[in-house]
Amino acid sequence: MATDVRPGPLRVLVFGAALRAGSTNARLASLVARLITEAGADADLATMREFDMPLYDGDAEETDGVPAGALALHERMEQADALVISSPEYNASVPGILKNAIDWVSRVQQQAFKTKHALLVSASPSLVGGNRGLWALRVPLEHLGTRVYPDMFSLARSYDSFAEDGSLADPGHQQRLTETVEAFLKLVEADTRYVCLQRRWYEFLGDRSEAPITHRAEV
């Protein structure tokens, strides 16, 4: 007899892409994880220190294989339905530690980034709020097949933006972040749990039009 079994809650890997203990991006990641939990999903909150790995070196990879930190991050990604990355902006671009982690993890098969949904957020003391770094971060993620959510969240003047309870001091900012997280989760649920249409993902003119996803992202 068939039974109507509802899928379990979504699982979202959330991490701040900075090593500094007092990083406002770590605080923002914690807040996003809390909002994910309040929305009924499971948040897997992590820090970059959990995924220690050397600078990418093709010779080292050939000799020693992929380092344990990259394998651990790959496994956590595989267990998740989606990602949230809270990334600082370094010189208008991506922090080296995050780019290095992406490069290492991309070497593990099966490709963990492909078709994974990602929400990008940032916190910065600048008036730009780290937004330039998020635009740079989209490039390697989308190249690897990640479905990066269009509406990114950037928190400016981050040193003065958090209340004592970890929420955002500005009610308008708190509401916008909450609505962004909730909308992102609805999209992830629709795409991963209730797929009605065949996925098609085109990026280059040479991609095969009959392929469910671009064959470039398979490798």
Side-chain angles (χ1 to χ4, degrees), residues 69-85:
L71 293 173
L73 178 54
H74 180 274
E75 182 178 359
R76 297 275 281 274
M77 289 177 61
E78 285 284 271
Q79 294 171 353
D81 296 296
L83 316 170
V84 177
I85 303 175

Side-chain angles (χ1 to χ4, degrees), residues 7-201:
L10 294 172
R11 183 176 177 85
V12 183
L13 175 62
V14 185
F15 62 91
L19 292 175
R20 188 169 61 87
S23 168
T24 53
N25 279 279
R27 298 180 69 180
L28 185 58
S30 296
L31 174 56
V32 171
R34 190 174 83 189
L35 294 175
I36 289 171
T37 301
E38 291 174 354
D42 289 340
D44 179 14
L45 182 60
T47 68
M48 289 302 295
R49 289 191 179 277
E50 297 176 53
F51 311 115
D52 184 46
M53 62 193 82
L55 292 176
Y56 178 75
D57 181 341
D59 291 336
E61 180 187 8
E62 184 175 352
T63 302
D64 305 319
V66 178
L71 293 173
L73 178 54
H74 180 274
E75 182 178 359
R76 297 275 281 274
M77 289 177 61
E78 285 284 271
Q79 294 171 353
D81 296 296
L83 316 170
V84 177
I85 303 175
S86 182
S87 176
E89 175 187 300
Y90 288 0
N91 298 314
S93 190
V94 184
I97 186 173
L98 177 58
K99 181 58 167 63
N100 186 59
I102 292 172
D103 291 341
W104 267 119
V105 173
S106 71
R107 302 298 296 171
V108 184
Q109 300 301 326
Q110 297 288 329
Q111 176 57 260
F113 289 101
K114 187 182 67 178
T115 73
K116 194 78 70 179
H117 287 272
L119 171 64
L120 305 184
V121 301
S122 64
S124 171
S126 76
L127 294 178
V128 180
N131 193 59
R132 294 170 299 190
L134 297 186
W135 280 109
L137 178 56
R138 296 182 72 99
V139 175
L141 293 178
E142 291 182 332
H143 170 76
L144 291 167
T146 306
R147 313 290 173 85
V148 182
Y149 192 62
D151 192 7
M152 304 181 294
F153 179 86
S154 297
L155 181 66
R157 295 177 175 174
S158 58
Y159 291 151
D160 302 319
S161 295
F162 289 92
E164 291 186 2
D165 65 354
S167 63
L168 299 183
D170 186 300
H173 292 164
Q174 179 69 25
Q175 179 179 354
R176 179 172 178 265
L177 178 61
T178 301
E179 291 175 350
T180 299
V181 170
E182 291 176 348
F184 173 68
L185 292 176
K186 289 178 180 178
L187 174 65
V188 174
E189 182 175 27
D191 186 59
T192 61
R193 304 294 172 85
Y194 309 107
V195 180
C196 299
L197 299 175
Q198 182 182 24
R199 291 176 178 152
R200 293 194 178 275
W201 190 257

